[in-house]
Amino acid sequence: MDVWLTAARLAAAANAVVLLGLGAVWLRNYRRHGASHTLALLVFAAFLLLENLLWLYFYVLHPDFIAWFEFSDPDVQVGVTMLCTLELVALAFVARVTLR
């Protein structure tokens, strides 16, 4: 069942990359316009980035979490993987709208 752990790792890493890109755009826009809405998006991206970096830490470096993940039921593995995957879908939509 290493497939689900690999998929979770890839989704968390992709989320971090997308959030870095979105954060750069929103930071540039906030510096240019100073809108509070853009600041809120920037703070939102920072917290989501921290969340995904924490997920990456658990998925890659934390041996107890990795052992728990590998020995848990497949429905738990799929569910945990879907958390990052659904977030990736949502971030892709936000990125598409932002970069238009």
Side-chain angles (χ1 to χ4, degrees), residues 35-86:
S36 59
H37 176 258
T38 308
L39 178 62
L41 290 172
L42 185 59
V43 170
F44 182 73
F47 278 105
L48 280 182
L49 179 61
L50 288 174
E51 176 202 0
N52 281 284
L53 293 176
L54 186 61
W55 275 120
L56 279 174
Y57 166 73
F58 281 114
Y59 289 147
V60 176
L61 299 175
H62 199 283
D64 292 338
F65 182 84
I66 293 169
W68 171 81
F69 191 94
E70 290 175 344
F71 290 109
S72 62
D73 291 336
D75 56 340
V76 173
Q77 294 176 353
V78 171
V80 171
T81 301
M82 290 304 293
L83 292 174
C84 286
T85 305
L86 290 172

